């Protein structure tokens, strides 16, 4: 073995030597720091190997050595001066080999060699050259006992081993009891957890029921609101129309002449009534859309015609020379949709763009994107702050401080437009940057 320094040598000739080798093995084991159990294992292995070698006749040289480098270990080499028996010996030693970490049997130069090694425990003293010398000196003074002494020692070891086995059995019983206890604890915990889970589940189910109930109430409230709005707007329309008519009558040339102040006041009344009528009309439209009373009438819509109409009706509104009003040729010729509702949405978006764009351009375009036709209304107007880009779709919401360049608004245009697009099976969204402009996109499925 490489790196193994011999500690002591001895010879095996007769049976008595087997006891001596056994004793020596235990002593060497003790001196290099093997634990008591390992000393006995090594000694037992040695006495078994020794017994077989002595029975086979001839001399055996026994060399104890320590390998201090790498994994510190105690090694023993038994060289038997007879050849060719390695295989049979190896078979006989198969059980014995389990007592040490490794055992090899082979044919060497002079005869059969048995080599065995046992690792030293991590807490064994370091085998420095000085320590090795000390061990050698001590071993030189080692006086082998008689076979009787060895028998006594073996008996003691047997008793100690039996004690240890009993202690281990007791330990095992204790561990088993502890394990059982722990298992009981785990089961109790498991039951407690399942109870808690069940409780929580019941709570969640109750919560869901409540949620369902609330959403039913919410739907009912929303329907009531739509009904109320529709009724009120409907009822308001007649008196407001009457006020406008009366105002017209009062300021008519055929009527009695009014003073300048009276004429101004009648004009104010007519203006206010007209605003009110447009609000009432918007409200009525929205209420109808919300109440689900708007049924689209589907047809093959000629987009070119729709765009042409929008161009014609809205250009007169886009009177500012600093703003380019462009209605592009649609890249898609036809679409299955409701022509009136679609035109209403696009008109609404274009009117907004005109209201909020002082310079630059307003552009309407249509293109196919995947399974949808996308209409875009892009302007270079005031833009909308990111945090308000969803709020502008709420009823009556207007961006604070946003001043329409022309006309007044009610804050109902966008919510209405989004409703209509929803009815047409599509979606309306906006991207915008304050100071740069906004782009509203209406995306409608090619086949709704
Ligand atoms: P209205 O235009 O009648 O006020 P809308 O619902 O159409 O109501 O629009 C809500 C608000 O969204 C507007 O008051 C305005 O503040 C903002 N807005 C809509 N369109 C644009 C746009 N193209 N550019 C800038 N702001 C816009």
């Amino acid at each position: 073995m490489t790196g193994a320094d011999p500690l002591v040598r001895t010879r095996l000739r007769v049976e008595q030597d087997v006891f001596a080798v056994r004793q020596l093995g235990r002593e060497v084991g003790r001196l290099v720091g093997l634990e008591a159990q390992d000393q006995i294992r090594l000694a037992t292995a040695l006495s078994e190997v020794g017994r077989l070698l002595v029975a086979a006749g001839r001399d055996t040289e026994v060399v104890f050595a320590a390998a201090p480098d790498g994994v510190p270990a105690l090694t023993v080499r038994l060289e038997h001066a007879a050849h060719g028996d390695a295989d049979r010996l190896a078979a006989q030693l198969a059980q014995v080999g389990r007592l040490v970490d490794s055992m090899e049997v082979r044919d060497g130069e002079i005869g059969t060699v048995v080599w065995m090694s046992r690792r030293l425990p991590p807490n064994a003293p370091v085998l420095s050259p000085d320590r090795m010398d000390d061990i050698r000196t001590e071993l030189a003074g080692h006086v082998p006992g008689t076979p009787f002494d060895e028998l006594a020692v073996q008996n003691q070891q047997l008793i100690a081993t039996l004690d240890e086995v009993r202690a281990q059995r007791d330990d095992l019983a204790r561990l088993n009891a502890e394990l059982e206890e722990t298992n009981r604890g785990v089961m109790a915990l498991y039951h407690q957890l399942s109870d808690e889970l069940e409780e929580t589940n019941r709570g969640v189910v109750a919560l869901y029921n409540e949620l369902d109930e609330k959403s039913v109430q919410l739907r009912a409230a929303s329907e009531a609101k739509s009904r109320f709005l529709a009724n009120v707007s409907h009822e308001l329309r007649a008196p407001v129309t009457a006020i406008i008519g009366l105002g017209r009558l009062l300021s008519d040339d055929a009527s009695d002449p009014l003073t300048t102040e009276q004429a101004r006041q009648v004009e104010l009344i007519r203006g206010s009534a007209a605003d009110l009528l447009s609000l009432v009309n918007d409200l009525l439209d929205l209420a109808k859309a919300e109440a689900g009373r708007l049924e689209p009438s589907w047809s093959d819509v000629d987009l070119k015609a729709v765009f042409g109409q929008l161009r014609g009706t809205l250009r007169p509104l886009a009177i500012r020379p600093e703003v380019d009003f462009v209605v592009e040729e649609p890249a898609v010729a036809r679409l299955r949709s409701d022509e009136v509702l679609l035109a209403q949405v696009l008109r609404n978006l274009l009117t907004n763009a005109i209201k909020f764009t002082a310079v630059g351009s307003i552009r309407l375009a249509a293109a196919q994107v995947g399974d949808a036709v996308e209409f875009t209304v892009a302007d270079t107007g005031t833009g909308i702050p990111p945090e308000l880009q969803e709020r502008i779709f709420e009823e009556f919401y207007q961006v604070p401080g946003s001043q329409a360049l022309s006309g007044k608004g009610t804050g109902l245009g966008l919510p209405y437009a989004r409703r209509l697009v929803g009815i047409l099976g599509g979606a309306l969204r906006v991207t915008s940057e304050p100071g740069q402009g906004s782009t509203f996109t209406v995306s409608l499925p090619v086949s709704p």
Side-chain angles (χ1 to χ4, degrees), residues 352 355-356 379 382 384 392 397-399 402 409-411 413-415:
N352 272 354
K355 278 199 295 190
F356 293 101
D379 66 49
T382 54
I384 302 147
I392 55 171
Y397 190 82
Q398 295 179 310
V399 174
S402 77
T410 56
L414 286 179

Side-chain angles (χ1 to χ4, degrees), residues 184-196:
R184 264 200 299 278
V186 169
M187 282 315 283
L189 204 68
Y190 172 77
H191 285 311
Q192 192 181 339
L193 275 179
S194 344
D195 287 352
E196 269 170 32

Side-chain angles (χ1 to χ4, degrees), residues 218 224 273:
L218 214 63

Side-chain angles (χ1 to χ4, degrees), residues 150-186:
E150 185 54 22
L151 192 63
V153 171
Q154 272 194 38
N155 276 345
Q156 268 160 18
Q157 285 171 351
L158 193 61
I159 290 166
T161 307
L162 285 175
D163 275 352
E164 197 163 312
V165 169
R166 188 181 322 116
Q168 276 178 0
R169 204 185 45 210
D170 291 351
D171 269 357
L172 202 64
R174 189 176 46 74
L175 275 177
N176 265 340
E178 268 174 28
L179 197 66
E180 219 163 276
E181 184 78 7
T182 313
N183 276 349
R184 264 200 299 278
V186 169

Side-chain angles (χ1 to χ4, degrees), residues 260-385:
T260 323
E261 182 54 21
Q262 280 172 334
R264 198 181 66 80
Q265 285 176 359
V266 169
E267 244 346 280
L268 273 178
I269 293 172
R270 275 181 64 185
S272 302
D275 286 349
L276 190 56
L277 185 63
S278 106
L279 173 66
V280 166
N281 281 338
D282 282 357
L283 264 180
L284 196 59
D285 285 342
L286 186 63
K288 261 198 240 159
E290 280 196 350
R293 268 189 265 150
L294 265 185
E295 267 298 319
S297 86
W298 300 102
S299 66
D300 276 332
V301 179
D302 176 356
L303 293 182
K304 210 168 163 165
V306 172
F307 274 34
Q309 213 175 20
L310 287 170
R311 196 181 291 120
T313 51
L314 290 175
R315 199 184 287 281
L317 296 181
I319 40 164
R320 238 164 283 116
E322 301 87 353
V323 180
D324 263 349
F325 184 79
V326 185
V327 174
E328 289 182 3
E329 282 306 304
V332 182
R334 310 191 144 266
L335 172 70
R336 184 129 192 100
S337 192
D338 180 312
E339 182 170 336
V340 176
L341 298 187
L342 175 61
Q344 208 164 345
V345 169
L346 295 177
R347 193 177 310 115
N348 195 315
L349 297 177
L350 284 166
T351 321
N352 272 354
I354 293 170
K355 278 199 295 190
F356 293 101
T357 306
V359 285
S361 66
I362 294 164
R363 195 170 283 271
L364 167 67
Q368 176 138 9
V369 179
D371 283 348
V373 177
E374 284 197 352
F375 299 87
T376 46
V377 177
D379 66 49
T380 55
T382 54
I384 302 147

